[in-house]
Amino acid sequence: MSDRQSIFLNDIFNTFKRQGSDEVNPQNANYEKSKLSQKNILALGYQYDVKDRYSINAFLKHYNQHNVSGAGEIKKDLSKIGYGMAVSYFINTALQLKGSYELTTKMPTPEELFGDVINYEGNYNLKPEKSNNYNLGILYSFHLNMDHRFALMANGFFRNADDFIYQRLNNNQTLYISDNRDGVQSIGGDLDLRYSFRRWFNAGLNVTYQKVKNLQKVEPGYTGLSPLYKFEMPNIPNTFGNVDASVTLHDFGGKANQLSFGASMLFVRQFWMYWPGLGLTDKEAKKLQIPEQISFDANIVYAIHNGRYNIAIEGKNLTDKRLVDNFSLQKPSRGFYINLRYFFNK
């Protein structure tokens, strides 16, 4: 191959196995049944690249998953093919356009298949999710002078998914469970703006908007067109983002040491907890929405000897707001954490 061309072959293998026992209730056989999931993704790709002008990537993927529930009692093998292409083009040194298409597969995770025996009910009949993904983006970087630098990244996406994997409450409304929907369409985009001043200050803003719409026309228990057709999917936020800033002091307390202070704010707009408009008027249905959430985090990180030794102190949800997950279950309140990390080779 020439300097402009390259071929890559990549293989990723993951395995999961679980078996246990219930000491409180020894008669409970659910823990004793072994669970096994092995996933392999083989990818073959080709890239043609002209430096600072354009780049073309094409790839082919093979997804394979082997699942076993019990001592070989129930086996299920899943196999899918995916492919795609990505193109990027530099209009000039500061402005780049990007576009991609991929037929992709999302295999069920072990937790989705087997549950976690606490809050998540397994669904061994879950099918792989297949989707056609289209992306179009722009990257623009510029500087006022060598001190003030900016980068703007904007991306739009369109996705059509079959057997879309989503989370809902089980029939008893007590546990999470994953399920498939025959058709789900996602349209949206995200915006990322970064600013840096010399080597010591960085700040950024990231915002994502997505409209995830149900296109399944047939619903169990209903005749005719599904009453949920073209409704927004519940338990999925449509607007969220974050703002962050950090200050870094180089050679603090010694050469090759670095002290940084960071803060961030997370924002999630209110979204539906159940199917919107089903059984209640719009005014009453607001009671079934996950409320808007804003939280603030901060951290201090001291890296010594080029990062070989690291000490980090982090504060989560500093204003102690009530935060919930996508099913309105409360998350931990204000918390403080310390992390110590050491690299043997750095």
Side-chain angles (χ1 to χ4, degrees):
M1 305 297 288
S2 67
D3 292 340
R4 294 181 175 180
Q5 301 181 74
S6 59
I7 293 178
F8 67 85
L9 182 65
N10 186 46
D11 188 74
I12 299 175
F13 176 78
N14 292 284
T15 184
F16 168 90
K17 185 175 183 180
R18 183 178 71 204
Q19 186 173 10
S21 60
D22 189 347
E23 296 183 1
V24 177
N25 183 13
Q27 304 303 318
N28 187 353
N30 291 330
Y31 294 88
E32 297 176 0
K33 292 183 178 180
S34 62
K35 310 290 184 181
L36 174 68
S37 180
Q38 295 175 329
K39 181 171 65 174
N40 192 83
I41 302 176
L42 179 65
L44 174 65
Y46 168 79
Q47 177 174 320
Y48 187 86
D49 181 69
V50 178
K51 187 177 180 181
D52 297 331
R53 291 301 299 165
Y54 64 88
S55 178
I56 301 173
N57 291 270
F59 52 88
L60 178 67
K61 296 181 179 180
H62 178 257
Y63 303 84
N64 184 74
Q65 189 175 49
H66 174 66
N67 302 310
V68 180
S69 179
E73 300 171 9
I74 306 176
K75 296 182 180 180
K76 179 183 288 187
D77 290 301
L78 305 172
S79 182
K80 294 289 183 181
I81 294 292
Y83 52 84
M85 175 177 285
V87 178
S88 63
Y89 177 73
F90 285 91
I91 297 178
N92 53 49
T93 56
L95 183 60
Q96 182 184 22
L97 296 179
K98 297 181 178 182
S100 67
Y101 162 77
E102 182 177 2
L103 174 66
T104 187
T105 294
K106 178 183 180 295
M107 289 293 186
T109 66
E111 186 176 71
E112 292 170 338
L113 290 169
F114 308 127
D116 65 358
V117 298
I118 301 175
N119 297 315
Y120 216 111
E121 179 181 331
N123 182 0
Y124 197 65
N125 295 317
L126 204 61
K127 294 179 285 188
E129 174 186 315
K130 183 179 70 175
S131 63
N132 290 278
N133 299 342
Y134 302 85
N135 294 273
L136 183 62
I138 184 173
L139 170 60
Y140 180 49
S141 58
F142 62 96
H143 53 83
L144 301 180
N145 50 49
M146 296 308 295
D147 292 336
H148 301 275
R149 296 179 177 272
F150 297 85
L152 172 66
M153 290 162 280
N155 181 68
F157 58 82
F158 175 83
R159 297 169 187 157
N160 260 336
D162 295 317
D163 295 319
F164 180 80
I165 297 176
Y166 74 109
Q167 283 71 48
R168 61 174 177 83
L169 293 176
N170 66 357
N171 294 334
N172 296 326
Q173 302 285 291
T174 57
L175 300 173
Y176 302 147
I177 187 172
S178 290
D179 207 347
N180 294 110
R181 294 205 71 79
D182 287 344
V184 171
Q185 183 185 88
S186 302
I187 301 175
D190 51 74
L191 177 69
D192 190 271
L193 177 63
R194 306 297 306 175
Y195 165 75
S196 64
F197 177 73
R198 296 182 180 175
R199 295 176 59 212
W200 66 271
F201 181 74
N202 282 275
L205 166 69
N206 178 272
V207 179
T208 297
Y209 170 80
Q210 58 181 3
K211 190 165 187 178
V212 186
K213 189 171 17 177
N214 171 51
L215 297 183
Q216 179 172 306
K217 293 184 177 181
V218 178
E219 202 70 32
Y222 291 91
T223 57
L225 186 66
S226 167
L228 308 178
Y229 182 57
K230 292 191 176 181
F231 276 7
E232 280 191 59
M233 292 288 294
N235 309 115
I236 300 176
N238 57 31
T239 307
F240 51 92
N242 63 78
V243 179
D244 66 89
S246 64
V247 174
T248 302
L249 305 179
H250 297 275
D251 297 328
F252 184 87
K255 192 171 180 60
N257 295 349
Q258 183 174 287
L259 179 66
S260 62
F261 302 86
S264 62
M265 181 193 78
L266 174 67
F267 165 79
V268 181
R269 186 186 177 193
Q270 66 180 18
F271 57 97
W272 295 105
M273 182 176 176
Y274 298 107
W275 291 101
L278 190 62
L280 293 172
T281 67
D282 289 342
K283 183 177 181 180
E284 293 171 331
K286 290 181 180 179
K287 299 177 183 178
L288 302 179
Q289 287 183 322
I290 308 296
E292 179 180 286
Q293 300 176 75
I294 298 177
S295 63
F296 295 89
D297 302 335
N299 63 77
I300 302 174
V301 180
Y302 189 41
I304 305 171
H305 194 54
N306 285 321
R308 170 168 287 186
Y309 311 92
N310 292 266
I311 303 171
I313 301 174
E314 185 175 20
K316 293 279 193 180
N317 190 17
L318 295 177
T319 55
D320 203 23
K321 294 290 186 179
R322 184 179 184 273
L323 304 179
V324 297
D325 66 8
N326 289 9
F327 291 84
S328 200
L329 294 179
Q330 188 168 349
K331 294 180 180 180
S333 57
R334 181 193 294 125
F336 297 92
Y337 311 86
I338 182 168
N339 295 296
L340 305 176
R341 186 175 60 177
Y342 171 74
F343 286 94
F344 290 95
N345 296 299
K346 185 71 174 178

